[in-house]
Amino acid sequence: TAFLFVFVTLFAHNTGATTISKTMPVKNVIVAIAMEAEAAPFIQHLQLKLVADFFPSNTPFQAYQGPHGDCTVTVITNGKDTVHETGVDNVGTVPAALATFLALQKLPETDILINAGTCGGFRRKGAEVGNVFVVTGVAHHDRRIPIPDFVPYGIGKLDTSRHGDFTTAEVLALELEYKLGVCTTGNSLDKTEEDDKHMLANDAAVKDMEAAAIAWSCKLFDTPFLGLKVVTDIVDGEHPTQDEFLANLLAASQSLQVALPRVLDHICHVGVVKD
Ligand code: ADE
């Protein structure tokens, strides 16, 4: 790690790379996790404490906070559906973007936001159930607006590979032996044939329901976004998504509990590069 750090720092300075100017120590990390089941093992593992008044009282969102090494870690979850009174987790882009925005507004000193959670994986991109992916970029696959000027807005592509950590998503994945790829986001767990075309066009390796929305909120605050996704189901496989997802949710959440501290150790000990 030390060698890589020196190498990357020297490399960045010697090439005069435009996007890398200085290495910052990481102090404040937000981890955005949509579902309680995904977040619970990690919150327990780090012994984080519920912060009662973190979010406005009319929102369902939850925040848990505590130290990890030199960092303060704040986990935010989207809470339960009180509007339709179903009591299920508020998955999807709307709660994700709103919770992220409010958390970044509350914690303007945030050095990096990690969006961790489960995802579908594409076999054609080498994904297998249980794999951990570091997200190199995000895009939507269900925001179709066939008016030329609106097309790129609808797709909402964002490169998240450069300031994901002090080096790049690539170095993080290499060091921790995780896979790399684009995360395509939509508001459905399943997919249509039309979705398929757009996910292919997005060059997606994984599919989720939040990343592109969270990265959008991060962009408004100029806060680095790092996507970390564990595969629960194979999108281009033979099993119904919901069956595979439910069967693997617990194992994937436990795998996140291992992956997240490794990523935190990596970024908290070394630093993050800001543009
Ligand atoms: N989360 C886990 N699996 C998913 C899938 N196939 N699509 C969207 N979000 C997911």
Side-chain angles (χ1 to χ4, degrees), residues 118-120 188-190 207-209 232-233 235 241 245:
T118 58
C119 65
S188 299
L189 184 69
D190 66 2
K207 166 178 180 277
D208 85 338
M209 297 175 67
T232 49
D233 51 271
V235 182
T241 302
F245 170 71

PDB file of all heavy atoms in Angstrom, residues 118-120 188-190 207-209 232-233 235 241 245, ligand 1:
ATOM      1  N   THR A 118     -26.729  -4.203  -2.442  1.00  0.00           N
ATOM      2  CA  THR A 118     -26.778  -5.363  -3.320  1.00  0.00           C
ATOM      3  C   THR A 118     -27.088  -4.917  -4.747  1.00  0.00           C
ATOM      4  O   THR A 118     -27.522  -3.783  -4.977  1.00  0.00           O
ATOM      5  CB  THR A 118     -27.856  -6.351  -2.847  1.00  0.00           C
ATOM      6  OG1 THR A 118     -29.114  -5.665  -2.821  1.00  0.00           O
ATOM      7  CG2 THR A 118     -27.529  -6.891  -1.465  1.00  0.00           C
ATOM      8  N   CYS A 119     -26.872  -5.819  -5.665  1.00  0.00           N
ATOM      9  CA  CYS A 119     -27.107  -5.490  -7.077  1.00  0.00           C
ATOM     10  C   CYS A 119     -27.353  -6.773  -7.852  1.00  0.00           C
ATOM     11  O   CYS A 119     -27.053  -7.872  -7.365  1.00  0.00           O
ATOM     12  CB  CYS A 119     -25.898  -4.760  -7.656  1.00  0.00           C
ATOM     13  SG  CYS A 119     -24.417  -5.783  -7.710  1.00  0.00           S
ATOM     14  N   GLY A 120     -27.882  -6.605  -9.046  1.00  0.00           N
ATOM     15  CA  GLY A 120     -27.887  -7.699 -10.004  1.00  0.00           C
ATOM     16  C   GLY A 120     -26.573  -7.626 -10.767  1.00  0.00           C
ATOM     17  O   GLY A 120     -26.003  -6.540 -10.925  1.00  0.00           O
ATOM     18  N   SER A 188     -36.854  -0.446 -10.971  1.00  0.00           N
ATOM     19  CA  SER A 188     -37.483  -1.771 -10.909  1.00  0.00           C
ATOM     20  C   SER A 188     -36.451  -2.837 -10.581  1.00  0.00           C
ATOM     21  O   SER A 188     -35.307  -2.764 -11.037  1.00  0.00           O
ATOM     22  CB  SER A 188     -38.126  -2.125 -12.250  1.00  0.00           C
ATOM     23  OG  SER A 188     -39.127  -1.182 -12.573  1.00  0.00           O
ATOM     24  N   LEU A 189     -36.891  -3.816  -9.796  1.00  0.00           N
ATOM     25  CA  LEU A 189     -36.011  -4.956  -9.501  1.00  0.00           C
ATOM     26  C   LEU A 189     -35.926  -5.858 -10.723  1.00  0.00           C
ATOM     27  O   LEU A 189     -34.870  -6.385 -11.044  1.00  0.00           O
ATOM     28  CB  LEU A 189     -36.547  -5.738  -8.297  1.00  0.00           C
ATOM     29  CG  LEU A 189     -35.677  -6.893  -7.812  1.00  0.00           C
ATOM     30  CD1 LEU A 189     -34.383  -6.387  -7.196  1.00  0.00           C
ATOM     31  CD2 LEU A 189     -36.420  -7.763  -6.803  1.00  0.00           C
ATOM     32  N   ASP A 190     -37.045  -5.999 -11.420  1.00  0.00           N
ATOM     33  CA  ASP A 190     -37.009  -6.801 -12.641  1.00  0.00           C
ATOM     34  C   ASP A 190     -36.675  -5.900 -13.830  1.00  0.00           C
ATOM     35  O   ASP A 190     -36.234  -4.765 -13.656  1.00  0.00           O
ATOM     36  CB  ASP A 190     -38.325  -7.582 -12.819  1.00  0.00           C
ATOM     37  CG  ASP A 190     -39.508  -6.656 -13.072  1.00  0.00           C
ATOM     38  OD1 ASP A 190     -39.310  -5.425 -13.149  1.00  0.00           O
ATOM     39  OD2 ASP A 190     -40.641  -7.153 -13.199  1.00  0.00           O
ATOM     40  N   LYS A 207     -26.449  -3.927 -11.844  1.00  0.00           N
ATOM     41  CA  LYS A 207     -27.732  -3.191 -11.927  1.00  0.00           C
ATOM     42  C   LYS A 207     -28.272  -2.980 -10.526  1.00  0.00           C
ATOM     43  O   LYS A 207     -28.348  -3.938  -9.743  1.00  0.00           O
ATOM     44  CB  LYS A 207     -28.703  -4.026 -12.756  1.00  0.00           C
ATOM     45  CG  LYS A 207     -30.166  -3.610 -12.685  1.00  0.00           C
ATOM     46  CD  LYS A 207     -31.015  -4.507 -13.597  1.00  0.00           C
ATOM     47  CE  LYS A 207     -32.492  -4.128 -13.561  1.00  0.00           C
ATOM     48  NZ  LYS A 207     -33.201  -4.711 -12.417  1.00  0.00           N
ATOM     49  N   ASP A 208     -28.637  -1.737 -10.214  1.00  0.00           N
ATOM     50  CA  ASP A 208     -29.217  -1.477  -8.896  1.00  0.00           C
ATOM     51  C   ASP A 208     -30.388  -0.513  -9.008  1.00  0.00           C
ATOM     52  O   ASP A 208     -30.879  -0.243 -10.108  1.00  0.00           O
ATOM     53  CB  ASP A 208     -28.143  -0.968  -7.908  1.00  0.00           C
ATOM     54  CG  ASP A 208     -27.930   0.530  -8.013  1.00  0.00           C
ATOM     55  OD1 ASP A 208     -28.253   1.128  -9.081  1.00  0.00           O
ATOM     56  OD2 ASP A 208     -27.443   1.129  -7.037  1.00  0.00           O
ATOM     57  N   MET A 209     -30.818   0.034  -7.853  1.00  0.00           N
ATOM     58  CA  MET A 209     -31.974   0.929  -7.863  1.00  0.00           C
ATOM     59  C   MET A 209     -31.653   2.286  -7.226  1.00  0.00           C
ATOM     60  O   MET A 209     -32.574   3.058  -6.946  1.00  0.00           O
ATOM     61  CB  MET A 209     -33.167   0.258  -7.143  1.00  0.00           C
ATOM     62  CG  MET A 209     -33.635  -1.011  -7.843  1.00  0.00           C
ATOM     63  SD  MET A 209     -34.938  -1.911  -6.958  1.00  0.00           S
ATOM     64  CE  MET A 209     -36.307  -0.783  -7.079  1.00  0.00           C
ATOM     65  N   THR A 232     -26.385 -10.209  -5.833  1.00  0.00           N
ATOM     66  CA  THR A 232     -27.332 -11.188  -5.271  1.00  0.00           C
ATOM     67  C   THR A 232     -27.983 -12.045  -6.359  1.00  0.00           C
ATOM     68  O   THR A 232     -28.547 -13.094  -6.054  1.00  0.00           O
ATOM     69  CB  THR A 232     -28.483 -10.490  -4.508  1.00  0.00           C
ATOM     70  OG1 THR A 232     -29.016  -9.465  -5.341  1.00  0.00           O
ATOM     71  CG2 THR A 232     -28.022  -9.916  -3.191  1.00  0.00           C
ATOM     72  N   ASP A 233     -27.954 -11.564  -7.600  1.00  0.00           N
ATOM     73  CA  ASP A 233     -28.666 -12.288  -8.664  1.00  0.00           C
ATOM     74  C   ASP A 233     -28.040 -11.950 -10.007  1.00  0.00           C
ATOM     75  O   ASP A 233     -27.396 -10.917 -10.164  1.00  0.00           O
ATOM     76  CB  ASP A 233     -30.153 -11.901  -8.662  1.00  0.00           C
ATOM     77  CG  ASP A 233     -30.341 -10.395  -8.687  1.00  0.00           C
ATOM     78  OD1 ASP A 233     -30.385  -9.788  -7.605  1.00  0.00           O
ATOM     79  OD2 ASP A 233     -30.408  -9.825  -9.793  1.00  0.00           O
ATOM     80  N   VAL A 235     -28.599 -10.949 -13.743  1.00  0.00           N
ATOM     81  CA  VAL A 235     -29.630 -10.290 -14.559  1.00  0.00           C
ATOM     82  C   VAL A 235     -29.852 -11.063 -15.862  1.00  0.00           C
ATOM     83  O   VAL A 235     -30.995 -11.248 -16.285  1.00  0.00           O
ATOM     84  CB  VAL A 235     -29.228  -8.827 -14.877  1.00  0.00           C
ATOM     85  CG1 VAL A 235     -30.324  -8.129 -15.672  1.00  0.00           C
ATOM     86  CG2 VAL A 235     -28.922  -8.055 -13.604  1.00  0.00           C
ATOM     87  N   THR A 241     -35.488 -12.931 -10.931  1.00  0.00           N
ATOM     88  CA  THR A 241     -34.662 -12.027 -10.121  1.00  0.00           C
ATOM     89  C   THR A 241     -35.073 -12.036  -8.659  1.00  0.00           C
ATOM     90  O   THR A 241     -34.224 -12.147  -7.767  1.00  0.00           O
ATOM     91  CB  THR A 241     -34.782 -10.584 -10.673  1.00  0.00           C
ATOM     92  OG1 THR A 241     -34.379 -10.609 -12.031  1.00  0.00           O
ATOM     93  CG2 THR A 241     -33.917  -9.623  -9.902  1.00  0.00           C
ATOM     94  N   PHE A 245     -32.711 -12.935  -5.604  1.00  0.00           N
ATOM     95  CA  PHE A 245     -32.402 -11.819  -4.712  1.00  0.00           C
ATOM     96  C   PHE A 245     -32.710 -12.185  -3.266  1.00  0.00           C
ATOM     97  O   PHE A 245     -31.856 -12.034  -2.375  1.00  0.00           O
ATOM     98  CB  PHE A 245     -33.199 -10.581  -5.135  1.00  0.00           C
ATOM     99  CG  PHE A 245     -33.146  -9.454  -4.141  1.00  0.00           C
ATOM    100  CD1 PHE A 245     -31.976  -8.718  -3.962  1.00  0.00           C
ATOM    101  CD2 PHE A 245     -34.257  -9.136  -3.370  1.00  0.00           C
ATOM    102  CE1 PHE A 245     -31.921  -7.679  -3.029  1.00  0.00           C
ATOM    103  CE2 PHE A 245     -34.207  -8.101  -2.442  1.00  0.00           C
ATOM    104  CZ  PHE A 245     -33.042  -7.379  -2.273  1.00  0.00           C
TER     105      PHE A 245
HETATM  106  N1  ADE B   1     -30.582  -5.279  -6.179  1.00  0.00           N
HETATM  107  C1  ADE B   1     -30.245  -6.575  -6.145  1.00  0.00           C
HETATM  108  N2  ADE B   1     -30.494  -7.163  -7.328  1.00  0.00           N
HETATM  109  C2  ADE B   1     -31.023  -6.221  -8.144  1.00  0.00           C
HETATM  110  C3  ADE B   1     -31.488  -6.208  -9.473  1.00  0.00           C
HETATM  111  N3  ADE B   1     -31.479  -7.292 -10.229  1.00  0.00           N
HETATM  112  N4  ADE B   1     -31.957  -5.046  -9.968  1.00  0.00           N
HETATM  113  C4  ADE B   1     -31.975  -3.935  -9.210  1.00  0.00           C
HETATM  114  N5  ADE B   1     -31.556  -3.884  -7.953  1.00  0.00           N
HETATM  115  C5  ADE B   1     -31.070  -5.026  -7.414  1.00  0.00           C
END
